């Protein structure tokens, strides 16, 4: 399957999971929601690994990359959830979706040279992301009452974007040594342990999780974990890694559309045009 198609599956999974985090993070607290998502994802993926007979790999090298991947992805996801709870979604999701800018910069240093059409499609996707971010908020931005307002939300979103990009770059380096599924399980276990440790040390951040919320956290973890598996599958070849990364950044369009359809978040005409450009860029990359 083409790397860009794997990236499309990643975008759908991430976009849906991140939209759910608006509800779980708002109701349960960001740390509790992240712990629940990571824990449920680890449990479900462990069952899949056991059923698939996943071999245990303990290579002598690659541990720094694995630790870097865990730190980058867990911290980036925590910041993303925090930003989405603060809102507006139409501002936060596209900025975080710009993470391929950082990854492409890293790929260029490694000597990877996309074709002209791939460059044009990737530039279109990234420009669309930035236009959505630039126009995002509007009247909804005035409703942000969290400390620091919109500027603080922008910093949180940008920090999340950079952290996720670095985490994914490290994950792509660690995956060939540990295996994609084992690496994702390690990241999920690290994220669960880290968030639970913080919750133990800071009781004021803890909130009870009603039973009716566990299926939501389970679905959120399944979507998020499946999205990463799709991304790693699309990144197996060095030539296709950048395409999968950029197409996956279209998750922001999925999250924004869900915010518009369900939460009735205001989206101006320019944002719709930018979202269309993102989808068109994804289609071009998928066809190449």
């Amino acid at each position: 399957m083409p790397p860009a198609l794997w990236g499309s599956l990643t975008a759908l999974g991430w976009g849906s999971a991140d939209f759910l985090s608006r509800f779980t993070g708002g109701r349960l607290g960001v740390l509790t929601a992240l712990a629940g998502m990571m824990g449920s994802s680890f449990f479900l993926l462990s069952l899949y690994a056991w059923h698939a007979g996943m071999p245990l790999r303990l290579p002598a090298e690659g541990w720094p990359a694995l630790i870097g991947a865990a730190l980058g992805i867990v911290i980036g996801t925590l910041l993303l959830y925090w930003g989405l709870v603060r809102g507006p979604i139409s501002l936060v999701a596209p900025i975080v979706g710009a993470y391929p800018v950082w990854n492409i910069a890293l790929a260029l240093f490694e000597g990877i040279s996309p074709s002209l059409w791939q460059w044009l499609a990737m530039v279109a996707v990234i420009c669309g992301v930035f236009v959505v971010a630039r126009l995002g908020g509007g009247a909804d931005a005035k409703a942000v009452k969290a400390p620091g307002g919109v500027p603080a939300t922008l910093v949180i979103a940008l920090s999340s974007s950079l952290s996720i990009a670095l985490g994914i770059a490290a994950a792509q380096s660690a995956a060939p040594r540990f295996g994609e599924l084992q690496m994702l399980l390690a990241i999920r276990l690290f994220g669960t342990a880290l968030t639970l440790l913080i919750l133990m040390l800071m009781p004021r951040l803890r909130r009870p999780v009603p039973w009716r919320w566990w299926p939501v956290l389970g679905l959120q973890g399944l979507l998020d974990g499946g999205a990463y598996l799709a991304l790693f599958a699309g990144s197996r070849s060095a030539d296709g890694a950048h395409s999968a990364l950029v197409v996956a950044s279209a998750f922001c369009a999925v999250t924004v559309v869900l915010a518009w359809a369900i939460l009735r978040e205001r989206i101006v005409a320019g944002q719709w045009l930018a979202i269309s450009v993102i989808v068109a860029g994804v289609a071009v990359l998928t066809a190449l």
Side-chain angles (χ1 to χ4, degrees), residues 37 53 57 61 75 102 161 168 187 208 238-239 249:
M37 186 278 284
R57 299 185 188 179
E61 300 178 349
I75 293 174
W102 310 105
S161 177
I168 289 175
I187 293 173
D239 293 335
S249 73

Side-chain angles (χ1 to χ4, degrees), residues 74-122:
V74 171
I75 293 174
T77 305
L78 176 63
L79 292 170
L80 171 61
Y81 285 8
W82 187 15
L84 290 173
V85 169
R86 289 172 60 97
I89 291 175
S90 58
L91 181 65
V92 175
I95 293 176
V96 178
Y99 73 87
V101 173
W102 310 105
N103 290 108
I104 291 174
L106 293 173
L108 291 175
F109 281 108
E110 295 173 357
I112 296 176
S113 300
S115 68
L116 176 60
W117 285 108
Q118 286 176 321
W119 269 119
L120 292 175
M122 286 189 289

Side-chain angles (χ1 to χ4, degrees), residues 120-201:
L120 292 175
M122 286 189 289
V123 169
V125 171
I126 293 171
C127 287
V129 166
F130 276 113
V131 170
V132 172
R134 178 66 180 84
L135 299 177
D140 294 315
K142 298 177 182 178
V144 178
K145 299 179 180 178
V150 173
T153 300
L154 289 172
V155 172
I156 292 169
L158 286 170
S159 300
S160 173
S161 177
L162 176 58
S163 182
I164 288 174
L166 294 175
I168 289 175
Q172 289 176 330
S173 175
R177 294 181 174 88
F178 291 90
E180 294 155 359
L181 182 54
Q182 180 174 300
M183 180 185 64
L184 184 57
L185 282 168
I187 293 173
R188 288 295 187 252
L189 181 60
F190 175 84
T192 303
L194 179 62
T195 49
L196 288 178
L197 177 62
I198 295 174
L199 289 170
M200 288 178 60
L201 296 175

